[in-house]
């Protein structure tokens, strides 16, 4: 680990985990200004088209994450692997999100959005996404003591749905998340696939 130049080294981690054969993953709260270059660089790529922020300017991305930072129910995090930014990770309380209109929210549920960053100049690395997902779900189900993780990837994103299924998530029905058009945020209607990971299933998969 490059401790002298590690990204966000001075930022307190909400979760830190050493994963055998992978490295150390620190999960830190997003600083909208300090992390803007990293986040905009990722969301602007074609590979992130399902994230829904392709084409946004840096200023628009900054406004989005400044707004997110003001909420008590939605939070954004960065995963830093061995000193390098590796993924963008967002959590939300389902009852305070539009997904609550599409399924029966249960006590202990927590929602998750995940954008895996590029693996680096060497290209894809075996186990890259799986390890980062393990760190995030460990934080949610163990660190935050939640009972179930809820995800709703775009229904067209077969790669993400397959990755989540192999990680232990159980796919459920296809849903249509309603459009949100407010002064501070706009989200278009989204056709998505619900999937769930319970703490029991997560524990059995370790």
């Amino acid at each position: 680990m490059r401790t002298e130049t590690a990204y966000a080294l001075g930022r307190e981690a909400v979760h830190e985990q050493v994963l055998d054969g992978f490295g150390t993953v620190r999960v830190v709260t997003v600083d909208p200004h300090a992390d803007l270059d990293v986040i905009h660089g990722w969301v602007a790529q074609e590979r992130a088209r399902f994230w829904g922020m392709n084409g946004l300017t840096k200023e628009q991305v900054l406004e989005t994450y400044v707004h997110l930072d003001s909420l008590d129910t939605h939070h954004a995090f960065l995963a830093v692997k061995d000193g390098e930014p590796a993924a963008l990770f967002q959590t939300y309380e389902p009852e305070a999100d539009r997904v609550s209109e599409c399924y029966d929210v249960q006590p202990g549920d927590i929602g998750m959005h995940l954008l895996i960053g590029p693996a680096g100049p060497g290209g894809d690395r075996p186990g890259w996404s799986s390890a980062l997902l393990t760190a995030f779900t460990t934080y949610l189900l163990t660190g935050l003591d939640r009972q179930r993780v809820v995800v709703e990837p775009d229904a067209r994103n077969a790669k993400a749905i397959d990755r989540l299924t192999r990680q232990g998530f159980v796919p459920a029905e296809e849903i249509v998340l309603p459009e949100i058009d407010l002064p501070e945020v706009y989200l278009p209607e989204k056709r998505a696939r619900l999937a769930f990971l319970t703490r029991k299933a997560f524990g059995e998969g370790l």
Side-chain angles (χ1 to χ4, degrees), residues 8-203:
L9 181 62
R11 214 177 302 175
E12 182 179 359
V14 299
H15 179 73
E16 185 166 339
Q17 187 170 359
V18 178
L19 296 162
D20 290 344
F22 183 73
T24 299
V25 176
R26 298 179 72 245
V27 179
V28 300
T29 301
V30 161
D31 179 325
H33 293 274
D35 298 326
L36 179 59
D37 286 346
V38 169
I39 293 174
H40 181 260
W42 287 347
V43 302
Q45 295 179 10
E46 171 61 21
R47 63 187 293 276
R49 64 192 181 279
F50 293 119
W51 194 253
M53 300 182 78
N54 280 170
L56 295 190
T57 65
K58 272 192 175 182
E59 183 61 31
Q60 290 171 317
V61 172
L62 177 61
E63 289 174 359
T64 298
Y65 284 92
V66 166
H67 171 66
L68 193 64
D69 192 47
S70 72
L71 303 177
D72 294 328
T73 55
H74 295 62
H75 303 283
F77 305 91
L78 275 184
V80 180
K81 178 208 177 288
D82 293 336
E84 296 288 349
L88 177 62
F89 168 55
Q90 295 174 196
T91 65
Y92 60 90
E93 300 296 339
E95 64 271 18
D97 189 87
R98 60 179 177 167
V99 76
S100 63
E101 300 183 30
C102 303
Y103 91 101
D104 183 20
V105 179
Q106 299 296 310
D109 281 359
I110 188 166
M112 178 180 78
H113 297 301
L114 177 64
L115 177 62
I116 302 290
D124 289 343
R125 303 180 196 173
W128 178 261
S129 297
S130 177
L132 292 167
L133 267 167
T134 295
F136 292 143
T137 50
T138 299
Y139 170 57
L140 296 179
L141 295 170
T142 303
L144 296 184
D145 195 27
R146 295 304 188 105
Q147 295 298 317
R148 186 170 65 160
V149 181
V150 181
V151 293
E152 19 86 2
D154 191 293
R156 299 166 296 172
N157 194 348
K159 183 177 179 180
I161 294 168
D162 178 66
R163 173 68 266 168
L164 290 162
T165 301
R166 285 185 284 128
Q167 199 75 15
F169 282 80
V170 177
E173 68 271 20
E174 191 171 293
I175 59 173
V176 177
L177 296 167
E179 178 187 52
I180 294 178
D181 191 0
L182 299 171
E184 65 276 10
V185 63
Y186 173 74
L187 294 172
E189 183 180 273
K190 173 185 171 183
R191 187 166 57 88
R193 171 73 67 179
L194 278 173
F196 302 92
L197 177 67
T198 65
R199 185 155 68 180
K200 179 181 179 182
F202 174 72

